[in-house]
Amino acid sequence: MPKINLDKERVLKLTGNKIGDEELRKTLGFLGTDVESITKNEIEVEIFPNRPDLLSEEGLGRALKSFTGKEKGLKKYSARKSDYKVIIEKSVGSVRPHTACAVVKGLKLDEKKMEDIIEIQEKLHVTYGRNRKKCAIGVYPSENIDFPVSYKALPVEKIVFRPLDSKKEMGASQILKFHDKGKEYAHLLKGKKHYPLFVDGKGSIMSMPPIINSEETGKINKKTKDVFVECSGHDFRVLSKALNMVVTALSDMGGSVYEVELVNENRKTPELIPEEMYLDKEYAESLIGRSFSDNEIIGSLERMGFGASKKGKSFKVLIPCYRTDILHQADLVEDVAIGFGYNNVGEENERPETPGKEDFREELKEKIREIISGHGLVEARNYNLSNKDFQEKYFGRGRIVGIKNYLSEEYNSLRYNILVSLLKALKVNKHHDYPQSFFELGKVFSKDSSEESGVKEEEALGVVFCGVNANFNLAKQHLDSIFSLLGLKYELVEGKDVFMIKGRCGVVKFKGRNIGFLGEISPGVLVDYDLDVPVSGFEIVLDDLFGEF
Amino acid sequence: MKDIVGQLTGLERKILPLLVKQDFEALELARKTGLQEVEVLRAGQWLQNKGLVVIEREEEEIVVLDRNGKEYVEKGLPEKRFLRALNEGATTVSQVLKKGVSKEEINICIGILRKKNAVIATKEKELSFTITEEGKKILKQKSLEEKLLEKKFPLKEKDLKAEETHAVKELLKRKNILKKDKKKTFTLKATDKTKKSKELKKELSQEYEEKLTKEMLRTGSWKGKEFRAYDVKSHVPRIYPGRKHFVTEATEYIKKIWLELGFEEMTGGEAQSAFWDMDALFVPQDHPAREMQDTFYLEGKAKLPKKYLEKVKAAHETGGDTGSKGWQYKFSEEISSQVMLRTHTTVLSALTLSNLKKEDLPKKYFTVGKVYRNEALDWKHLFEFHQVEGIVVDPEGSLAKLKGYLKEFFLKMGYTDVRIRPAYFPYTEPSAEVEAYNPKKKEWVELAGAGIFRPEVTKPLLGFECPVLAWGMGMERIITAYYDIKDLREIYKNDLEQIRNAKMFIKK
C-alpha cells in the first residue's frame, strides 16, 4: 500500500480545522487510512488501494474537511467550455488507444505546489495506474503548446526529441535504452513498431507516453500558470477517473478547469458530473446491523463526501467524480458505516448456536502425534518447499512439482516426501548429542493430471532415528506400536526404496495397497545430507487410513 | 555438623577419608579413588559449600605442543630431516621431497641452515643443495630444541632449566610448534573442623545402605538398616520427553478456541487455481497481489470449475446478477487457470461457500492453515506461514454482529480491549482492521483483518445472497509474541534443544 508524506499545515488549512496531533491520528484512522507518524510538520500516512483520490494533500484535506463536518456533502467541480481539441488518430489504436485530457488555468505554482503535482502524478502511476501500464499521466505548461494537439503513433525510427532531463535530442529507441525513465518503462512498449506521441499544432513532440515528456514543451516550472493534463492508456473509464483525481486536486489548488474535446471520440473531458446510485435503506440497516434515521444515513454519506437525498424507501446518492471504488450498494453501506463511525456502530451479541467440529483427518493426525510423542520422539515442522534437483535425483523427473518463479534454488519445488525434510532436520542438529529421533506430519506433493490443480496432495507421516543403534528393527517396533494403538494392521513385505539400503527395506502395505516404506537409510543418502551417523526410519501416507474409522 | 555428616553423598564419602589424612591435587585424588577428575572436583565443591573442605586453585604457566610440534616429536625437526636427506645423497628439491620432507618444511629449513652455514645452495637448472662439514657436525649432535621435544609435555614453565628456557624461546619463534598456556591446578584440603570432627570419623566408618534391593525386601534384611540421606537440593540431570513442536501446540490452542465457539474446521489443498485463490474472491486480474514477486506460481494449468466459472467471470466483467457494476474488464480464463500456492486461507472459505446449501445455514467455519508468499527468507519474512481464519454464514449477519464475534474471539485469545477501524480488502465490504489496545505501549496495535464478504463473492458461489462475516490473522505473530522470538526463521529451524526446551503453550 502506498505511503505518502504530507505537509501537515497545508492539510489542516485545506481542512479548515485546528486539530491536535492525537485527534488527527484518530480521525484519519477512522476515516480509513493507516497513520504511520505525525510530526511537527508532516503527516506520514498509508492510503488503501481503493482510495487513490486520497493520495494528495488536496484529496486528503477534502476528505477530512467533510469527515469532520466542516463542509459536508458533494463538493461540486465543473469544467468550463473551451475550444481546446485533442485529435486522436487511428494510429494509436493498437498501441495505447485512449486518452482523457483537460486544461487547468490560473494556477499560482510555487516550488511546493510543483512538487505536489509531480508527487500526485507519481503516486497515481504506482497505484491506480499499475506502474503506468493502465494509466500514465502527463502534465505540460499549456503556454508552450499550440492547439489542436494530436495523439498519434509514429514508427519508432521516426521519433526524435529531447526527453526531460536530457541535454540533447534522442531517438525513441535510444531513449528506451539509455534514459532512466526509458529503461524503467521500456517493457510497456516492448514489441511495438509504433510508439504513441502527443504532438502539438506546430508539430513539436510534447511527450512519448507512457515513458517521458519532452524537455522543451513538457516541463512545468514555477512560472507556469496554465497546464495541459493528459492521461493515456487502454481503458477510457480508468483514464477519465485518473484525470478527475488530478484536476480536482488542481482545482483545489486554485486552478480553473477547462474541458478538452477529444476529436474522433465524440466526447469532452474531464467528465466531472457525479454518478448516481440508489441505496436501499433496509439493505444498509441489515448489513450494518442497526436502524438509522434518514438523517443519520444522509449525514453519514455527506461526511464521506457524497451527495444524498431521500427517494421513496431509498436514497439517491451522488458519487464524487474522483471516487473509483463504488461498484455496489455494499460500497455505499461501508461509507455509511465509516461516516457514522465504526465505533458508534453497536455490538450485537446474539448469535446462532452451532456445534464445533474438528476435521476428522486433523483429529486422527492429533492421535498419531500423541502416540509418537509418547514414544519419546520430537516433532519437527519443516517448510513444504524443497530443492528440485535433489528430489529429482532420487525420485526422478516428472513427479516433482516445481515452482515457476522461485527466489531461491533451495526452495524451488514442493516436497515429494517427508524424509527429505527430516534428514535436513538431522543435518541441522549435528552439533547436538545422539541419539536423536524426529517425526513430522505434513503434506507431500506430486504431479497428477487428474486433480483440478494438477497437484496431488497427501497427508504423510515420516519418522527418523539417528544414532549408533538406529536400525531396521527400531523403526519396525515403532510402526508396529502405531498401528496397534490405532487398531489397524499393516504388512511389511520385502521391497526397495531409493532412500534405503538394499535388503534392509520393507514396503508398508495396508489393505493390499503400498502406503510407504521402512528401513535403514542408504549411506549415499547420508553423505548427501552430510550425516556421519546411521539413520533408520519410515514414511507412510495416511490418506488410506482416514477411511478406516 | 551432624546434619551435614548424615547427608554426605557417595562421591563425598569416597574422597573425604583420604583428605582427612593429607591434602591432594584433584588429578592425583582422582587417580587414587578411581573417579573422574570432574567428579572429584564436583564432590570437592559440595564439601567446600558445607565447609568441610577448601579448594585452592593455582594457575601455572605451561608449555604445550602445537600442531607442528606434535608432528616433529614423531618425525624429527624438519631441518634435521633435510640435512639427513642431503647426507643420503639427495641434492635437488624434488629429490629431497621424495625423502619425505615437504615443500613447506624445505622453505622453513633453508633460512635456518644457511644461517648456520650447514648447506650451500646453488641454482643451475634446478635449485640444489649440498651439505657442508658444519652441516654434518650438526646432523650428528642433538640440538637443545630436539632435547626439549623429547621431554614429556606439558611442561611447567617454572620447572624449566636455563638451556630449556632458551630452547622454548627459539621454538616459540617458529610456526605452530609450541604454545604457551595456563593450567589450573586444584588442591583439596580438609579443614581443621573436618579433621577434628569425631562425628565425621564415626560417620565415615558407619555403614549406610545406598540402595534398597529386591533381596532386602524379600528377606526383610532392611529392618534396622539406615539409608544414606540425600541432599535434596542437589542438581539432577535434565530428562527430555518426546513432544510436539511448539507450532503444533499453538495451533491446538487456537483450534480449541474456535471449537469452543462452535466453528467447524475447513481443510483443503495448498496448490490452488488462481480462479479459487483470487477470482472467486473478486480480486481483479490485474491486482498487484497476483504479480510474480508476490505469489508462487506452479508449473501446469488448472481445470476450471464449469459450475462457477461463468458466474464469477460475469461478476468481474459486469457484476452479473450481483447488483454490482463489476470491474468492467475482459476476464481471462488463461489467468484463471494459473496454478499457485495459496496466498491466503480465504481460498478455503470460498471453496466452503461453493459447497453450501441454503438449508444448511447458519454455519460457522474456521481454519488454521499454511499459506505462501513469494518472499526471500529473512528475519521478518517467511515464504510459508500460517493463517487463522473464521467465517460465519448467517442470513442475519451484520457488521454489528461481526463486532460481537470479534470481541468474543479475541477475548478468548487474551485481548480484553479490541476495536475495529476501516480497512480495505478486495473481497470484503465493509472491511475492518481489528486492533487491540496495548496497555504497556499505550497504543492500539493491529491484530487482524475482518469484514463482510462482498456480494460479488457470495452470490456466484452460494447462488443466493447471504452476508458472510469473516476475520483472520497470521498465526506466527501469536507464536513470536508468546515465545518472544525476534527472528521469524527461529520458528522453523527445528533445533532439537529449542523444541525440547520450549515452554508448553499455556494461556488462560
PDB file of all heavy atoms in Angstrom, chain B residues 82-98:
ATOM      1  N   PHE B  82      65.998 -32.678   6.680  1.00  0.00           N
ATOM      2  CA  PHE B  82      66.516 -32.101   5.447  1.00  0.00           C
ATOM      3  C   PHE B  82      68.009 -32.434   5.293  1.00  0.00           C
ATOM      4  O   PHE B  82      68.449 -32.931   4.261  1.00  0.00           O
ATOM      5  CB  PHE B  82      66.288 -30.584   5.494  1.00  0.00           C
ATOM      6  CG  PHE B  82      66.707 -29.852   4.256  1.00  0.00           C
ATOM      7  CD1 PHE B  82      65.952 -29.955   3.084  1.00  0.00           C
ATOM      8  CD2 PHE B  82      67.833 -29.039   4.248  1.00  0.00           C
ATOM      9  CE1 PHE B  82      66.323 -29.250   1.959  1.00  0.00           C
ATOM     10  CE2 PHE B  82      68.204 -28.353   3.122  1.00  0.00           C
ATOM     11  CZ  PHE B  82      67.453 -28.458   1.967  1.00  0.00           C
ATOM     12  N   LEU B  83      68.747 -32.201   6.378  1.00  0.00           N
ATOM     13  CA  LEU B  83      70.180 -32.492   6.353  1.00  0.00           C
ATOM     14  C   LEU B  83      70.429 -33.972   6.088  1.00  0.00           C
ATOM     15  O   LEU B  83      71.300 -34.358   5.325  1.00  0.00           O
ATOM     16  CB  LEU B  83      70.828 -32.076   7.679  1.00  0.00           C
ATOM     17  CG  LEU B  83      71.072 -30.575   7.877  1.00  0.00           C
ATOM     18  CD1 LEU B  83      71.628 -30.321   9.262  1.00  0.00           C
ATOM     19  CD2 LEU B  83      72.012 -30.025   6.817  1.00  0.00           C
ATOM     20  N   ARG B  84      69.591 -34.805   6.749  1.00  0.00           N
ATOM     21  CA  ARG B  84      69.757 -36.237   6.604  1.00  0.00           C
ATOM     22  C   ARG B  84      69.556 -36.620   5.132  1.00  0.00           C
ATOM     23  O   ARG B  84      70.318 -37.387   4.558  1.00  0.00           O
ATOM     24  CB  ARG B  84      68.763 -36.984   7.498  1.00  0.00           C
ATOM     25  CG  ARG B  84      69.149 -38.445   7.719  1.00  0.00           C
ATOM     26  CD  ARG B  84      68.285 -39.087   8.800  1.00  0.00           C
ATOM     27  NE  ARG B  84      68.399 -38.410  10.082  1.00  0.00           N
ATOM     28  CZ  ARG B  84      67.370 -37.898  10.756  1.00  0.00           C
ATOM     29  NH1 ARG B  84      66.149 -37.969  10.257  1.00  0.00           N
ATOM     30  NH2 ARG B  84      67.566 -37.315  11.907  1.00  0.00           N
ATOM     31  N   ALA B  85      68.547 -35.996   4.528  1.00  0.00           N
ATOM     32  CA  ALA B  85      68.261 -36.292   3.119  1.00  0.00           C
ATOM     33  C   ALA B  85      69.465 -35.938   2.247  1.00  0.00           C
ATOM     34  O   ALA B  85      69.867 -36.703   1.374  1.00  0.00           O
ATOM     35  CB  ALA B  85      67.033 -35.524   2.667  1.00  0.00           C
ATOM     36  N   LEU B  86      70.085 -34.762   2.535  1.00  0.00           N
ATOM     37  CA  LEU B  86      71.253 -34.346   1.745  1.00  0.00           C
ATOM     38  C   LEU B  86      72.401 -35.316   1.981  1.00  0.00           C
ATOM     39  O   LEU B  86      73.104 -35.721   1.071  1.00  0.00           O
ATOM     40  CB  LEU B  86      71.689 -32.934   2.115  1.00  0.00           C
ATOM     41  CG  LEU B  86      70.683 -31.792   1.847  1.00  0.00           C
ATOM     42  CD1 LEU B  86      71.364 -30.441   2.128  1.00  0.00           C
ATOM     43  CD2 LEU B  86      70.173 -31.815   0.422  1.00  0.00           C
ATOM     44  N   ASN B  87      72.554 -35.693   3.232  1.00  0.00           N
ATOM     45  CA  ASN B  87      73.623 -36.595   3.611  1.00  0.00           C
ATOM     46  C   ASN B  87      73.476 -37.940   2.908  1.00  0.00           C
ATOM     47  O   ASN B  87      74.456 -38.619   2.618  1.00  0.00           O
ATOM     48  CB  ASN B  87      73.623 -36.760   5.132  1.00  0.00           C
ATOM     49  CG  ASN B  87      74.998 -37.155   5.644  1.00  0.00           C
ATOM     50  OD1 ASN B  87      76.018 -36.746   5.053  1.00  0.00           O
ATOM     51  ND2 ASN B  87      75.044 -37.937   6.693  1.00  0.00           N
ATOM     52  N   GLU B  88      72.240 -38.304   2.643  1.00  0.00           N
ATOM     53  CA  GLU B  88      71.988 -39.589   1.986  1.00  0.00           C
ATOM     54  C   GLU B  88      72.045 -39.454   0.479  1.00  0.00           C
ATOM     55  O   GLU B  88      71.627 -40.358  -0.245  1.00  0.00           O
ATOM     56  CB  GLU B  88      70.633 -40.153   2.420  1.00  0.00           C
ATOM     57  CG  GLU B  88      70.662 -40.712   3.838  1.00  0.00           C
ATOM     58  CD  GLU B  88      69.260 -40.924   4.416  1.00  0.00           C
ATOM     59  OE1 GLU B  88      68.289 -40.802   3.634  1.00  0.00           O
ATOM     60  OE2 GLU B  88      69.152 -41.183   5.614  1.00  0.00           O
ATOM     61  N   GLY B  89      72.477 -38.307  -0.013  1.00  0.00           N
ATOM     62  CA  GLY B  89      72.739 -38.192  -1.451  1.00  0.00           C
ATOM     63  C   GLY B  89      71.762 -37.319  -2.217  1.00  0.00           C
ATOM     64  O   GLY B  89      71.968 -37.004  -3.376  1.00  0.00           O
ATOM     65  N   ALA B  90      70.663 -36.901  -1.615  1.00  0.00           N
ATOM     66  CA  ALA B  90      69.722 -36.037  -2.338  1.00  0.00           C
ATOM     67  C   ALA B  90      70.356 -34.666  -2.540  1.00  0.00           C
ATOM     68  O   ALA B  90      71.097 -34.189  -1.688  1.00  0.00           O
ATOM     69  CB  ALA B  90      68.437 -35.900  -1.540  1.00  0.00           C
ATOM     70  N   THR B  91      70.084 -34.040  -3.688  1.00  0.00           N
ATOM     71  CA  THR B  91      70.601 -32.697  -3.918  1.00  0.00           C
ATOM     72  C   THR B  91      69.483 -31.742  -4.337  1.00  0.00           C
ATOM     73  O   THR B  91      69.333 -30.677  -3.771  1.00  0.00           O
ATOM     74  CB  THR B  91      71.695 -32.676  -4.998  1.00  0.00           C
ATOM     75  OG1 THR B  91      71.179 -33.309  -6.170  1.00  0.00           O
ATOM     76  CG2 THR B  91      72.952 -33.377  -4.538  1.00  0.00           C
ATOM     77  N   THR B  92      68.683 -32.139  -5.308  1.00  0.00           N
ATOM     78  CA  THR B  92      67.655 -31.219  -5.813  1.00  0.00           C
ATOM     79  C   THR B  92      66.433 -31.233  -4.898  1.00  0.00           C
ATOM     80  O   THR B  92      66.258 -32.145  -4.080  1.00  0.00           O
ATOM     81  CB  THR B  92      67.205 -31.615  -7.216  1.00  0.00           C
ATOM     82  OG1 THR B  92      66.620 -32.902  -7.127  1.00  0.00           O
ATOM     83  CG2 THR B  92      68.361 -31.633  -8.186  1.00  0.00           C
ATOM     84  N   VAL B  93      65.600 -30.211  -5.084  1.00  0.00           N
ATOM     85  CA  VAL B  93      64.376 -30.092  -4.275  1.00  0.00           C
ATOM     86  C   VAL B  93      63.504 -31.328  -4.442  1.00  0.00           C
ATOM     87  O   VAL B  93      63.002 -31.901  -3.475  1.00  0.00           O
ATOM     88  CB  VAL B  93      63.587 -28.826  -4.676  1.00  0.00           C
ATOM     89  CG1 VAL B  93      62.222 -28.825  -4.026  1.00  0.00           C
ATOM     90  CG2 VAL B  93      64.358 -27.573  -4.273  1.00  0.00           C
ATOM     91  N   SER B  94      63.361 -31.775  -5.708  1.00  0.00           N
ATOM     92  CA  SER B  94      62.469 -32.910  -5.931  1.00  0.00           C
ATOM     93  C   SER B  94      62.994 -34.178  -5.247  1.00  0.00           C
ATOM     94  O   SER B  94      62.206 -34.975  -4.732  1.00  0.00           O
ATOM     95  CB  SER B  94      62.271 -33.148  -7.434  1.00  0.00           C
ATOM     96  OG  SER B  94      63.516 -33.168  -8.075  1.00  0.00           O
ATOM     97  N   GLN B  95      64.311 -34.305  -5.201  1.00  0.00           N
ATOM     98  CA  GLN B  95      64.861 -35.483  -4.514  1.00  0.00           C
ATOM     99  C   GLN B  95      64.600 -35.411  -3.009  1.00  0.00           C
ATOM    100  O   GLN B  95      64.262 -36.400  -2.372  1.00  0.00           O
ATOM    101  CB  GLN B  95      66.372 -35.593  -4.782  1.00  0.00           C
ATOM    102  CG  GLN B  95      66.657 -36.121  -6.179  1.00  0.00           C
ATOM    103  CD  GLN B  95      68.114 -35.883  -6.597  1.00  0.00           C
ATOM    104  OE1 GLN B  95      68.807 -35.033  -6.023  1.00  0.00           O
ATOM    105  NE2 GLN B  95      68.563 -36.619  -7.591  1.00  0.00           N
ATOM    106  N   VAL B  96      64.763 -34.181  -2.467  1.00  0.00           N
ATOM    107  CA  VAL B  96      64.503 -34.009  -1.032  1.00  0.00           C
ATOM    108  C   VAL B  96      63.044 -34.311  -0.715  1.00  0.00           C
ATOM    109  O   VAL B  96      62.726 -34.960   0.274  1.00  0.00           O
ATOM    110  CB  VAL B  96      64.881 -32.578  -0.586  1.00  0.00           C
ATOM    111  CG1 VAL B  96      64.493 -32.361   0.869  1.00  0.00           C
ATOM    112  CG2 VAL B  96      66.365 -32.325  -0.777  1.00  0.00           C
ATOM    113  N   LEU B  97      62.175 -33.850  -1.608  1.00  0.00           N
ATOM    114  CA  LEU B  97      60.731 -34.098  -1.417  1.00  0.00           C
ATOM    115  C   LEU B  97      60.462 -35.586  -1.298  1.00  0.00           C
ATOM    116  O   LEU B  97      59.653 -36.029  -0.483  1.00  0.00           O
ATOM    117  CB  LEU B  97      59.928 -33.533  -2.592  1.00  0.00           C
ATOM    118  CG  LEU B  97      59.722 -32.022  -2.613  1.00  0.00           C
ATOM    119  CD1 LEU B  97      59.027 -31.604  -3.902  1.00  0.00           C
ATOM    120  CD2 LEU B  97      58.914 -31.541  -1.410  1.00  0.00           C
ATOM    121  N   LYS B  98      61.149 -36.363  -2.128  1.00  0.00           N
ATOM    122  CA  LYS B  98      60.957 -37.813  -2.114  1.00  0.00           C
ATOM    123  C   LYS B  98      61.353 -38.429  -0.782  1.00  0.00           C
ATOM    124  O   LYS B  98      60.851 -39.468  -0.396  1.00  0.00           O
ATOM    125  CB  LYS B  98      61.766 -38.462  -3.241  1.00  0.00           C
ATOM    126  CG  LYS B  98      60.971 -38.530  -4.538  1.00  0.00           C
ATOM    127  CD  LYS B  98      61.743 -39.248  -5.607  1.00  0.00           C
ATOM    128  CE  LYS B  98      61.283 -38.780  -6.980  1.00  0.00           C
ATOM    129  NZ  LYS B  98      62.341 -38.901  -7.979  1.00  0.00           N
TER     130      LYS B  98
END
